[in-house]
Amino acid sequence: MVELFEKAEQCCGCTACLNICPKQAISMLEDQKGFLYPNIDGSKCVECGLCQKVCPFKVDGLAGGKFSKIAYAVKNKDNTERAQSSSGAVFIEVAKAVLGSDGVVYGVRLDDVHRAMHDRASSIESARKFQGSKYVQSYKGSIFQEIKRDLKAGNTVLFTGTPCEVAGLKRFLGVPYDNLVTVDIICHGTPSPGSFDDHIRALEKKYSSKISKISFRNKQYGWRNQELWIKFNNGEIYHNPIWEDEYYRLFTGNYLLRDSCYSCPFASMNRPGDITIGDFWNINNVKPDFEDKLGVSSIIVNTEKGQDLITEILTSFEYFEVSLDECTQRNLQAPSPKPDDFDSFRADWEQHGLDYCRKKYASMGFGERIRRTLSPVKKRVMKVIKRGI
């Protein structure tokens, strides 16, 4: 029987194999950490090998071509759009352009039980559910097959996702489609759905109420001071910054990532999408007066098709062209590294559960708490000193 992978780090969970199987012999099974991995039913498998041929980790899944990349720093002129987005509000303008030409958009939303899932939108109202970051791996199911049907029907399709998902889609399709536009995000790595579900269920228990709304990147205190913001049915609000919320601390500390993320072949400037978008974290070193509370995005154009679309929407932004070096960041250079105590964390997770790990690996120490508390005071003092100089 065909073997899709030998080790967990050889599978990114893109579902290209599930979607390509002509006998529906592949299903996605959840492991102990909540990640989905393909499983082959030997009684249905005819060993055609298609599942191996479409795997983006086994073959080149990059955009290719000789196009000379172009990069921009951008922020949407509509502050309402930026307030609803993670940084500069690029996705929503790309979506408007595609929907305006009677196209369809595929992106990630949270469903009624707050599970991240890829879905289809044919209206701007539906596409707005895809706005903003979702720091958890999405459920995709047979979405690649649905995209192929749209493409064959002649619809312009926009697909947004992590680079491995974009590469998986392209491998599944097999041939280029002029009516497909792909946008990959600059990805830190994908946390497990199981870990996020565990975290929000613990919060529901603490607040004695079900959750009604979640925002991963609330901007009340500015785009750099990321907050997990949750509203409960009883009206109470939970909001904690990235350095205090335990789920965020485990995520940004690289404990919760899928095994394949630590050796991701797409964590570089070689991208599978027509367009790459992300936060422009380096803007304060490139053009400080361009930054404000609502955030700045970077756009990296990887293909002529991507450039045509970006040229169409640039009037919606304040923008300027930058070099690739100016907009680079860690995950455009290398994958997120494993923590030194990663093996201990995984063993504790399997033996004691995630609640135990949150307390052991994500609790803020006394020294860090003091430093975080004094940090705003230090910044204000430095501003006063600079004005005095």
Side-chain angles (χ1 to χ4, degrees):
M1 189 172 69
V2 172
E3 189 174 65
L4 287 172
F5 56 92
E6 296 178 3
K7 300 176 181 178
E9 56 262 35
Q10 296 171 331
C11 173
C12 64
C14 72
T15 72
C17 56
L18 176 147
N19 281 272
I20 199 69
C21 181
K23 299 298 181 180
Q24 292 80 50
I26 299 176
S27 58
M28 301 298 288
L29 300 183
E30 186 176 300
D31 72 357
Q32 189 174 0
K33 297 173 285 296
F35 286 114
L36 295 176
Y37 286 88
N39 179 71
I40 299 177
D41 182 344
S43 66
K44 296 180 179 179
C45 178
V46 294
E47 299 191 20
C48 64
L50 287 175
C51 55
Q52 291 182 317
K53 293 176 182 178
V54 298
C55 178
F57 270 40
K58 289 184 171 64
V59 293
D60 181 15
L62 302 178
K66 297 180 180 180
F67 182 81
S68 182
K69 293 177 184 286
I70 303 171
Y72 302 94
V74 305
K75 55 184 182 183
N76 202 307
K77 293 177 181 178
D78 187 335
N79 285 342
T80 301
E81 295 290 16
R82 275 204 294 159
Q84 297 179 65
S85 303
S86 294
S87 47
V90 175
F91 159 76
I92 196 64
E93 298 303 330
V94 177
K96 288 175 185 177
V98 171
L99 292 167
S101 61
D102 296 322
V104 294
V105 176
Y106 288 83
V108 178
R109 67 177 179 88
L110 296 180
D111 67 9
D112 293 340
V113 293
H114 314 295
R115 176 183 63 167
M117 60 180 296
H118 261 87
D119 203 356
R120 179 183 188 272
S122 57
S123 69
I124 190 61
E125 291 76 22
S126 296
R128 287 196 179 282
K129 296 178 181 179
F130 305 152
Q131 279 184 280
S133 301
K134 283 85 177 178
Y135 292 130
V136 60
Q137 187 162 34
S138 70
Y139 174 80
K140 286 167 282 293
S142 59
I143 206 77
F144 288 0
Q145 295 176 21
E146 191 170 353
I147 291 171
K148 188 172 185 177
R149 287 193 290 270
D150 267 324
L151 292 170
K152 284 186 171 294
N155 297 324
T156 299
V157 173
L158 168 65
F159 177 80
T160 61
T162 61
C164 61
E165 290 167 344
V166 172
L169 171 63
K170 288 188 170 184
R171 294 304 307 175
F172 162 76
L173 294 172
V175 296
Y177 283 83
D178 291 338
N179 52 330
L180 173 65
V181 180
T182 54
V183 175
D184 68 62
I185 60 171
I186 302 173
C187 180
H188 178 86
T190 53
S192 79
S195 62
F196 181 64
D197 187 69
D198 184 276
H199 187 57
I200 62 175
R201 301 308 160 216
L203 288 173
E204 287 181 331
K205 182 178 180 180
K206 178 180 178 180
Y207 284 80
S208 301
S209 178
K210 291 292 185 181
I211 291 171
S212 61
K213 187 176 182 180
I214 297 175
S215 171
F216 286 86
R217 290 281 296 273
N218 186 276
K219 291 182 177 180
Q220 182 177 352
Y221 301 107
W223 75 301
R224 289 185 183 272
N225 297 313
Q226 302 172 42
E227 281 205 324
L228 179 61
W229 183 95
I230 297 175
K231 184 176 182 179
F232 296 86
N233 288 335
N234 62 8
E236 291 201 61
I237 302 292
Y238 167 89
H239 63 97
N240 254 341
I242 195 169
W243 59 81
E244 190 164 342
D245 178 82
E246 291 174 346
Y247 177 79
Y248 261 139
R249 287 176 66 85
L250 289 177
F251 166 47
T252 57
N254 302 337
Y255 289 102
L256 299 179
L257 308 187
R258 192 179 181 100
D259 286 329
S260 60
C261 295
Y262 302 110
S263 56
C264 177
F266 306 109
S268 72
M269 279 292 183
N270 296 317
R271 311 298 293 184
D274 296 300
I275 302 163
T276 296
I277 62 175
D279 302 295
F280 201 131
W281 295 122
N282 193 42
I283 191 64
N284 56 341
N285 292 318
V286 177
K287 192 176 181 181
D289 60 349
F290 193 72
E291 181 177 2
D292 59 20
K293 180 180 178 180
L294 292 178
V296 181
S297 287
S298 61
I299 296 176
I300 302 172
V301 182
N302 304 307
T303 67
E304 290 184 15
K305 184 193 296 184
Q307 183 59 50
D308 289 342
L309 182 52
I310 292 301
T311 300
E312 180 182 342
I313 66 172
L314 271 179
T315 55
S316 298
F317 299 92
E318 295 179 52
Y319 70 94
F320 62 96
E321 191 170 332
V322 297
S323 70
L324 295 180
D325 286 339
E326 286 174 320
C327 71
T328 193
Q329 52 179 278
R330 180 177 59 191
N331 291 111
L332 287 173
Q333 299 171 353
S336 295
K338 283 184 180 180
D340 292 337
D341 54 355
F342 180 78
D343 291 338
S344 298
F345 170 81
R346 279 289 174 90
D348 283 337
W349 189 354
E350 293 175 5
Q351 185 174 354
H352 303 293
L354 198 58
D355 186 56
Y356 172 89
C357 291
R358 281 196 293 266
K359 293 180 175 64
K360 181 176 179 179
Y361 296 89
S363 294
M364 190 183 299
F366 179 75
E368 182 182 357
R369 191 172 294 279
I370 293 295
R371 179 172 60 82
R372 295 284 185 187
T373 302
L374 293 178
S375 179
V377 177
K378 179 181 177 182
K379 289 180 180 178
R380 287 196 294 270
V381 170
M382 292 304 295
K383 285 183 179 180
V384 171
I385 292 174
K386 286 182 180 180
R387 284 198 296 266
I389 294 173

